[in-house]
Amino acid sequence: MKFAFTAATVMALAMAATSASAGVVISQEMVNQTGAQKTDQTVMVQGHKQKVITGDDEELITDLDAGAIYIIKPKNKQYYEGKFPPTGAYAMKLFWEGAFVGVNKASGTDKVAGYACQDYTGSVTAARHILTMTKCVASDAPGAKEYVEFQKAMADKLKGTHLAPKGEIPDGIPVSSTRTIAPTPYTPPPSLPPAAAKKLMDAMAKGNKTVTFNTTVSKIEVKDLPAETFAVPAGYTKGEAQPITPHLLKKPGQSPASPGAAAAPAASAAPAAPATH
């Protein structure tokens, strides 16, 4: 009987260790509604590491334990390294992609990819733009525990910084989301001549369009991910310039800006302390 108990204990510990090391792989499609662009995206999480593969031209690795982020460009076999919590252009890139938007539970519910989900919504204002996010979160999705633990660890790393999101950490995996980036209203100073004010307003209206991205999950898998999943591939060279332009803010038909390209005025620096709504 003692032997049976010991064997059962060993088996339980082995199963727990396997479960703890398992990662989650989320396959999803992202649609830029402005230009009807569709992009496949894969999110992989294991422990305190996350990797996001967007299309075939960018990968983003976040390693919370190492305090580092890596932006990888497979096409030219280059990578760019920044710190976490991020600053400068790295902070702006993650900001535009919704990483710092605090959300709270809303009243809506849905069912996506076979998973019942609960709506969460929130917004943040920075760099003369309002970024609004709505997520439908499935708490019973496979790998939800691993995913939520990473989100909590990331929030802990951001505590005490102006990037720390306010609100709740949803208890599950977002199986659908809508992200909208809209310019805030602008009033020219009274001292500006009417003709110059009109010219400025026309230019801003032309250049600052509202952009909406819809993301929908197609598959969620739980699997053990090898360590090299979250490492820069061998043979890649380190770029010196920071990647300024966020991948998903490029205009329809426009190639992603190369790292070090001139930034738009709204993305020239890290956001000031965001105002959440």
Side-chain angles (χ1 to χ4, degrees):
M1 190 69 180
K2 183 177 180 181
F3 173 79
F5 174 78
T6 303
T9 303
V10 171
M11 183 175 293
L13 290 173
M15 290 177 66
T18 301
S19 175
S21 65
V24 57
V25 179
I26 306 164
S27 302
Q28 54 194 24
E29 182 184 73
M30 186 163 35
V31 180
N32 178 343
Q33 295 298 317
T34 307
Q37 294 172 292
K38 294 183 180 181
T39 306
D40 290 329
Q41 189 175 68
T42 303
V43 179
M44 294 178 277
V45 173
Q46 187 161 277
H48 288 174
K49 298 178 181 181
Q50 176 179 268
K51 183 175 186 178
V52 180
I53 303 173
T54 303
D56 60 358
D57 56 11
E58 182 173 284
E59 300 175 6
L60 173 65
I61 295 173
T62 303
D63 187 333
L64 299 179
D65 291 334
I69 57 176
Y70 303 92
I71 296 174
I72 300 171
K73 300 290 185 178
K75 288 184 177 179
N76 58 8
K77 292 192 174 183
Q78 282 189 310
Y79 74 96
Y80 305 86
E81 181 178 356
K83 295 180 179 180
F84 195 96
T87 58
Y90 293 97
M92 282 308 303
K93 177 177 176 58
L94 294 178
F95 168 75
W96 292 127
E97 294 178 3
F100 311 128
V101 179
V103 295
N104 290 288
K105 186 179 290 186
S107 59
T109 59
D110 203 350
K111 192 167 186 178
V112 179
Y115 301 108
C117 57
Q118 171 69 49
D119 280 349
Y120 287 77
T121 187
S123 64
V124 63
T125 301
R128 298 197 302 274
H129 283 76
I130 300 173
L131 197 160
T132 303
M133 177 79 77
T134 298
K135 306 177 181 180
C136 201
V137 177
S139 58
D140 64 343
K145 182 175 181 293
E146 187 82 3
Y147 183 88
V148 173
E149 285 179 354
F150 176 83
Q151 298 301 316
K152 289 180 178 178
M154 184 167 67
D156 284 343
K157 286 284 186 179
L158 293 172
K159 279 182 180 178
T161 74
H162 64 275
L163 300 175
K166 297 177 176 62
E168 304 175 49
I169 296 178
D171 185 24
I173 295 176
V175 288
S176 70
S177 66
T178 298
R179 174 168 50 101
T180 300
I181 302 169
T184 55
Y186 174 75
T187 302
S191 58
L192 199 65
K198 183 180 184 308
K199 186 176 181 179
L200 175 62
M201 293 295 289
D202 288 346
M204 292 186 70
K206 185 178 180 180
N208 289 324
K209 301 292 185 181
T210 297
V211 184
T212 299
F213 303 95
N214 291 335
T215 302
T216 306
V217 165
S218 57
K219 182 170 63 174
I220 302 175
E221 303 171 277
V222 172
K223 60 174 67 175
D224 219 8
L225 300 171
E228 56 265 29
T229 302
F230 304 98
V232 175
Y236 279 47
T237 58
K238 184 177 181 179
E240 295 301 324
Q242 291 184 334
I244 299 293
T245 303
H247 171 79
L248 293 175
L249 288 187
K250 65 182 186 291
K251 296 177 181 179
Q254 177 186 17
S255 299
S258 59
S268 60
T276 52
H277 300 280

